[in-house]
Amino acid sequence: MDSVAKNSERRPISIKLWPPSENTRKMLVERMTNNLTSKSFFTQKYGTLSQEEATYESKRIEDIAFETANQNYEKQPDGDGGAAVQLYAKECSRLLLEVLKRGPKVEAGKEAGSDITGAPPEICFDISKGRRAFIEAEEAEELLKPLKEPGNSYTKICFSNRSFGLEAARVTEPILVSLKDQLKEVDLSDFIAGRPESEALEVMKLFSDALEGSILRSLNLSNNALGEKGVRAFGSLLKSQSCLEELYLMNDGISKEAAQAVSELIPSTDKLKILHFHNNMTGDEGAFAIADVVKHSPLLEDFRCSSTRIDSEGGVALSSALGTCTRLKKLDLRDNMFGVEGGVALSKALSHHADLKELYLSYLNLEDEGAIAIANILKDTAPALEVLEMAGNDITAEAASALAACIAQKPHLTSLSLAENELKDEGTIQISKALESPNKIKEVDMNTNLIRRAGARVLAQTVVQKPVFQLLNINGNFISDEGIDELKDIFKKSPNMLGPLDENDPEGEDGNDEESVAEDDEEEDELGSKLKNLEVNQEN
């Protein structure tokens, strides 16, 4: 009897939300492709992508978001994967927004236009459009024919989205040698996908040797899982570059050893204006090497070092180096673990950045002390600041007065994100009062801040009166049903300005969707429900 009872005990059912199935990933790519090709505020302002380009970008975005979320899941494999799902959706949304704001790229073979000095137009040869696929020798011969035409004017090449095998690389090598004296921009991002390591390294070395001695303005080696071996495979090309203005090494598996190789191989960065280093595994030790590159880049205007696993010690070193970059206009350090100490060090560097226009400091674990230090410095510098993002930093109402004082001094501010903090009504009202000052605010993201009816009402009444305001995201808070009705009434003349409120909890309790899932629900249904409403948001 005891045995029967024991065997009949109800066992808890564990639902794994990660990884998503291929069907779910495909669904997400299709949804993002539709966003990139449909009419919206962004496509009207920045242009609509072609179906081919939208498909390519959507697949690229999904690949990067999946890898980022998967790395997160591997750190906690015993979990249900819910955190990975949320990160997956958030990364897709953030990257999608970047593409929407960038707009369509220049088509292959089309003139980019001459400058006011009458210089000849720069011509781009681009094979990245269309499906992602391997390219072998015969196809390379046919596809690259225009590059072999005598007297061609191509100054930019983009080989992204096509995976070169060794034979295709051997066909391409003499073509690159013949072009290297006229090339200014080279995009080799995502060009060895799916190849065995030994073959990929040989292909990279062939391309590197062929382009050695070229005088490039821009070089993109992103999305190639380079690691240290890959960075050193490009050694001859990197060492020969003394005029680079733009360098992109995103999603390249850059470890501390690979970061050190980058620092060693780039002979001079005194002309570098853009350095993008997103989604790598650099860590604190690697941060020291990147800090050395930054320290010797006095002309740097756009620096992105997000999602690179940098902790406090590396954050302090990197912040110190950034203090030498007095021309910085855009700084993106999101999704690292600088902590309070890193935040305080960063605040000192920001005192030198009078030209700063965009500042992305979300998910740095700044806490109140770090946020206050940054706000206090920022208040008296960067008068032309347009974008300020400090989401997910455990900021409470204690830091609100410092943040409000800073925001009040930014007449050019167009976008503000303080999402996923704990500002509550008290902090929200202080931020709202600061937004009453003259500014050009268009987007405010205060989602998931423990805000109730009073704070939501004051914030809504403030932004709805701004002349060019476009979107308020106040989802995921504790606004009562009456408060929701009040918000809708405030925005009744412009309902599109109020973002969705589907994750608001009027009872003021943190819900857990998984607890309400029936035992026989399929994993795919739960995951699909979390992703089906993916929209472009401003929290990233």
Side-chain angles (χ1 to χ4, degrees):
M1 189 74 174
D2 290 342
S3 176
V4 172
K6 183 177 181 180
N7 290 334
S8 64
E9 287 179 359
R10 190 176 185 181
R11 296 179 180 177
I13 296 177
S14 176
I15 299 174
K16 285 285 186 181
L17 304 179
W18 191 265
S21 70
E22 287 301 317
N23 282 339
T24 297
R25 296 181 67 181
K26 182 179 178 182
M27 170 198 74
L28 196 54
V29 168
E30 290 174 352
R31 183 170 293 117
M32 288 190 293
T33 301
N34 184 59
N35 280 338
L36 291 171
T37 54
S38 301
K39 287 185 177 181
S40 68
F41 163 77
F42 293 104
T43 56
Q44 288 176 347
K45 183 173 182 180
Y46 301 106
T48 304
L49 275 65
S50 67
Q51 186 69 33
E52 286 185 348
E53 184 177 2
T55 300
Y56 162 67
E57 291 290 355
S58 298
K59 289 179 179 177
R60 181 184 66 82
I61 289 169
E62 195 278 333
D63 280 345
I64 294 173
F66 178 83
E67 181 61 27
T68 301
N70 201 49
Q71 289 177 9
N72 176 273
Y73 178 70
E74 287 174 355
K75 295 178 183 177
Q76 44 183 351
D78 295 332
D80 63 3
V85 170
Q86 292 178 6
L87 181 58
Y88 178 51
K90 185 180 295 183
E91 280 293 285
C92 283
S93 176
R94 181 178 64 78
L95 293 169
L96 183 64
L97 181 62
E98 287 183 0
V99 173
L100 283 166
K101 287 185 174 181
R102 182 207 72 200
K105 292 181 178 177
V106 178
E107 296 290 337
K110 286 190 178 181
E111 296 183 358
S114 59
D115 62 26
I116 58 174
T117 65
E122 295 183 347
I123 309 297
C124 179
F125 181 82
D126 188 349
I127 63 170
S128 68
K129 304 298 187 293
R131 64 188 182 89
R132 190 181 189 193
F134 281 13
I135 179 172
E136 304 301 342
E138 186 176 345
E139 185 183 2
E141 286 275 11
E142 183 64 29
L143 197 59
L144 304 182
K145 273 184 178 179
L147 295 177
K148 299 170 68 175
E149 294 177 1
N152 75 73
S153 301
Y154 292 112
T155 59
K156 306 178 184 179
I157 57 170
C158 178
F159 288 170
S160 182
N161 198 41
R162 303 301 300 272
S163 179
F164 283 76
L166 189 53
E167 294 306 314
R170 287 173 176 153
V171 168
T172 308
E173 182 185 19
I175 297 174
L176 293 178
V177 170
S178 70
L179 289 174
K180 68 179 181 181
D181 290 338
Q182 69 189 57
L183 290 177
K184 296 180 181 179
E185 299 185 20
V186 171
D187 184 345
L188 298 179
S189 60
D190 192 22
F191 85 119
I192 41 92
R195 302 291 180 179
E197 180 183 284
S198 58
E199 182 181 20
L201 290 171
E202 196 166 349
V203 169
M204 286 188 275
K205 191 173 187 311
L206 279 173
F207 276 63
S208 175
D209 291 345
L211 291 167
E212 180 182 2
S214 55
I215 304 175
L216 300 181
R217 187 188 70 83
S218 175
L219 177 61
N220 191 344
L221 300 177
S222 300
N223 302 312
N224 284 313
L226 295 175
E228 183 186 8
K229 291 179 182 178
V231 171
R232 295 198 182 279
F234 276 109
S236 58
L237 172 59
L238 290 171
K239 285 190 291 187
S240 69
Q241 298 306 304
S242 59
C243 296
L244 267 184
E245 295 180 16
E246 301 178 10
L247 178 61
Y248 303 89
L249 293 167
M250 298 185 288
N251 197 34
D252 269 332
I254 304 290
S255 61
K256 61 181 181 181
E257 295 84 4
Q260 184 60 47
V262 171
S263 179
E264 291 173 9
L265 292 170
I266 301 177
S268 171
T269 58
D270 59 1
K271 293 181 174 62
L272 201 62
K273 295 181 179 179
I274 299 176
L275 177 59
H276 281 197
F277 203 73
H278 167 72
N279 197 33
N280 287 299
M281 52 183 71
T282 313
D284 269 358
E285 293 185 52
F288 294 125
I290 300 306
D292 192 55
V293 175
V294 170
K295 191 182 301 181
H296 295 92
S297 305
L299 301 184
L300 200 61
E301 296 179 0
D302 180 351
F303 179 56
R304 182 180 185 188
C305 194
S306 49
S307 302
T308 50
R309 306 184 185 182
I310 296 175
D311 290 319
S312 179
E313 192 175 355
V316 170
L318 194 58
S319 296
S320 177
L322 285 167
T324 65
C325 305
T326 57
R327 300 191 182 188
L328 207 61
K329 295 180 180 177
K330 182 177 180 180
L331 177 60
D332 184 350
L333 299 172
R334 285 174 288 189
D335 191 25
N336 286 296
M337 292 295 289
F338 278 32
V340 172
E341 189 176 355
V344 172
L346 181 59
S347 71
K348 298 175 182 177
L350 291 174
S351 65
H352 302 288
H353 299 156
D355 296 330
L356 202 61
K357 290 188 176 182
E358 298 180 40
L359 184 59
Y360 302 90
L361 303 178
S362 297
Y363 311 105
L364 290 178
N365 200 31
L366 297 174
E367 301 182 17
D368 284 338
E369 186 177 344
I372 290 171
I374 289 171
N376 285 341
I377 292 294
L378 205 57
K379 179 183 68 173
D380 298 320
T381 189
L385 191 69
E386 296 175 2
V387 178
L388 176 60
E389 295 195 4
M390 297 179 71
N393 276 303
D394 295 324
I395 301 172
T396 72
E398 183 179 335
S401 60
L403 288 168
C406 171
I407 292 166
Q409 297 299 316
K410 305 303 170 193
H412 299 282
L413 192 67
T414 62
S415 179
L416 173 67
S417 176
L418 295 170
E420 298 183 44
N421 286 301
E422 299 178 8
L423 289 167
K424 298 185 176 180
D425 281 3
E426 178 187 348
T428 300
I429 291 171
Q430 291 185 68
I431 300 299
S432 301
K433 295 301 182 183
L435 288 171
E436 291 177 357
S437 61
N439 55 51
K440 301 177 181 178
I441 197 72
K442 296 179 181 179
E443 304 163 359
V444 172
D445 189 347
M446 294 282 285
N447 84 79
T448 321
N449 260 293
L450 311 179
I451 302 171
R452 296 184 181 274
R453 180 180 181 179
R457 178 175 63 246
V458 174
L459 180 59
Q461 290 172 336
T462 299
V463 298
V464 77
Q465 300 177 50
K466 308 302 286 187
V468 293
F469 193 75
Q470 296 169 1
L471 181 64
L472 172 64
N473 183 2
I474 201 170
N475 209 356
N477 284 299
F478 298 160
I479 308 168
S480 66
D481 291 335
E482 294 80 6
I484 295 294
D485 291 339
E486 198 169 21
L487 288 175
K488 291 179 179 179
D489 185 61
I490 292 171
F491 285 97
K492 63 184 177 182
K493 294 183 179 179
S494 47
N496 291 336
M497 288 186 185
L498 181 62
L501 295 164
D502 54 313
E503 295 180 5
N504 180 68
D505 181 4
E507 302 298 324
E509 297 176 357
D510 293 318
N512 188 336
D513 292 339
E514 295 162 30
E515 293 179 358
S516 66
V517 177
E519 291 178 355
D520 59 349
D521 276 356
E522 295 291 335
E523 169 191 342
E524 191 65 30
D525 290 340
E526 174 67 11
L527 181 57
S529 70
K530 288 179 176 289
L531 296 176
K532 67 181 180 180
N533 293 320
L534 175 68
E535 301 290 345
V536 180
N537 59 55
Q538 316 304 315
E539 69 183 76
N540 294 296

